[in-house]
Amino acid sequence: MSRSTTTLTPLPGACAACAVRPFALFRVIPQARVGEIARIRSGVRLVRGGEAIRERVFTLYAGWAFSWTATQDGRRQVLDFHLPGDLVERTEDGAEVEALTDVSFCILSRDRLCDFMGHEPSLAMAYADGLMRERARLRERLTSLGRRDAVGRVAHLLLELHGRLLRRGGGDPRGGPIPLKQAHLADALGLSVEHANRALAVLRKDGIATLQKGRLDILDREAMEEIASWDGPGAEEPSASRSAAS
């Protein structure tokens, strides 16, 4: 029997009952005005893991995706990972978006979204906040590429993703579902798959963390933060806004 995608990956329902809105772009819109959000949504869609996502603007509802580009000789560079609640925009600079797992999402009308922002300053500010968070992530990735060794790069990225997962109510202070394979880590951090595998082996051997079968387990958070030169919030610390998307 073939598996049912709709069972494993739920489709978005009515905006008024959206499970990801508390940490998505539209979190700032009062419940009484949720009907206005529905007019921005132009459809919903399911995409299988490993398939390209062609829509220009969408909010991820379930599953994980990632953005990537490639060099002229075909080597892939992962630019960012996208979690439920993230607003994802496909630009015209050649970057692609791919489903990391089976995903579902709300397709948004870019024109209607821009028009709504023009009349709703709080939404425009939430959008700007998302851009600042994205910029901060990319700044840390650049720091990793230039200044951290392979183990530090892997540890930092895993801590970042774990923090983003926690802010969405997923996982727990000691870990959670992070469905990355070694190739995704390697392509995000400028490593070969072999070096990414060795870095994970070091973290596992030293009793610091494991990433196996799509599950991150943090065994020694203090040691992991030290290896990563981590200056973000700890697993027990509340973020500046628990409802903020990252």
Side-chain angles (χ1 to χ4, degrees):
M1 180 182 296
S2 63
R3 61 176 181 157
S4 170
T5 306
T6 52
T7 299
L8 295 176
T9 308
L11 275 170
C15 294
C18 179
V20 304
R21 188 165 65 88
F23 41 83
L25 174 67
F26 296 107
R27 65 187 181 276
V28 297
I29 304 301
Q31 188 70 20
R33 298 181 58 197
V34 168
E36 298 176 53
I37 301 174
R39 290 195 286 271
I40 299 172
R41 186 171 77 171
S42 60
V44 299
R45 192 171 173 224
L46 283 164
V47 173
R48 291 279 197 180
E51 294 182 356
I53 300 175
R54 303 298 186 189
E55 281 70 23
R56 289 192 62 192
V57 184
F58 61 92
T59 297
L60 202 59
Y61 181 76
W64 288 46
F66 65 100
S67 301
W68 63 276
T69 188
T71 60
Q72 289 186 342
D73 59 2
R75 289 178 294 175
R76 184 178 68 177
Q77 175 64 51
V78 172
L79 304 174
D80 204 2
F81 296 100
H82 309 296
L83 282 65
D86 283 352
L87 175 73
V88 184
E89 298 178 86
R90 288 187 66 246
T91 61
E92 298 177 357
D93 59 3
E96 302 289 341
V97 180
E98 182 178 318
L100 182 61
T101 65
D102 290 354
V103 300
S104 64
F105 52 87
C106 293
I107 306 166
L108 306 180
S109 164
R110 186 183 186 90
D111 291 341
R112 279 176 277 177
L113 178 59
C114 290
D115 184 64
F116 196 4
M117 285 185 186
H119 294 87
E120 182 52 65
S122 64
L123 187 64
M125 290 298 295
Y127 179 80
D129 179 67
L131 291 179
M132 287 190 290
R133 289 174 179 271
E134 180 180 342
R135 181 178 179 182
R137 290 199 301 273
L138 295 179
R139 182 176 63 241
E140 285 297 330
R141 303 271 176 80
L142 183 59
T143 301
S144 282
L145 291 173
R147 297 301 178 189
R148 296 185 180 106
D149 62 16
V151 180
R153 294 182 200 182
V154 170
H156 196 282
L157 179 57
L158 292 177
L159 285 171
E160 173 211 304
L161 292 171
H162 179 242
R164 293 172 66 188
L165 185 66
L166 284 177
R167 285 191 287 274
R168 288 158 169 77
D172 56 64
R174 294 189 60 83
I178 295 184
L180 271 62
K181 298 186 182 300
Q182 292 169 7
H184 298 115
L185 288 172
D187 290 348
L189 298 172
L191 301 170
S192 67
V193 173
E194 291 76 13
H195 277 90
N197 181 44
R198 289 173 194 157
L200 288 171
V202 169
L203 293 174
R204 182 174 62 252
K205 178 177 178 293
D206 292 348
I208 295 171
T210 63
L211 181 66
Q212 297 177 326
K213 297 180 179 180
R215 164 81 192 187
L216 171 67
D217 286 300
I218 299 175
L219 309 175
D220 188 338
R221 173 127 193 150
E222 184 177 353
M224 193 171 183
E225 290 184 353
E226 182 177 355
I227 289 173
S229 300
W230 179 257
D231 61 0
E236 304 290 350
E237 298 178 42
S239 59
S241 171
R242 292 293 295 183
S243 64
S246 61

